[in-house]
Amino acid sequence: MIDQIVIKALLIGAFVVIALILLRPGGSARTQAIRTITLLALLAAAVCAVLFPGVVNDLAQAVGVGRGTDLLLYAFIVVFIANALTAVRKRRAQDAQITKLARQIALRSAEHPDERV
């Protein structure tokens, strides 16, 4: 039991650091609120999973998964895919914005044919 305290403290500390990094402001107020609530729920679930690993095993068996580690892996995959899709969506929006700005700059700095001489 004593040897688990070290890893539990390290994992909880890592979760808190990640939460603080991800809670930085950005985006609209609604998006930020949803992100904050989701992050806090995931953080609470992660801390509970570290403190009470038996609960994760019980939950896994209740939903038909053999072990708690498998359930955590499945949850991680879902969160990873959601994060990847969000990143792709943000990247597309940034690309569209860059294209729009490049077009505006090109139109403003275009030379007229009679001014080239």
Side-chain angles (χ1 to χ4, degrees), residues 34-91:
I34 292 170
R35 192 169 89 177
T36 301
I37 291 169
T38 303
L39 180 63
L40 290 176
L42 288 173
L43 178 63
V47 169
C48 288
V50 169
L51 293 176
F52 310 108
V55 173
V56 177
N57 281 331
D58 294 340
L59 181 61
Q61 291 173 356
V63 297
V65 178
R67 302 178 304 167
T69 55
D70 294 337
L71 180 64
L72 290 177
L73 176 65
Y74 299 150
F76 172 74
I77 290 170
V78 169
V79 170
F80 177 78
I81 290 172
N83 187 33
L85 293 175
T86 301
V88 167
R89 187 174 61 224
K90 285 182 182 180
R91 177 63 190 239

Side-chain angles (χ1 to χ4, degrees), residues 103-117:
R103 287 177 181 161
Q104 288 177 355
I105 290 170
L107 289 173
R108 288 183 184 163
S109 61
E111 294 180 12
H112 295 288
D114 40 328
E115 292 179 1
R116 278 195 252 162
V117 179

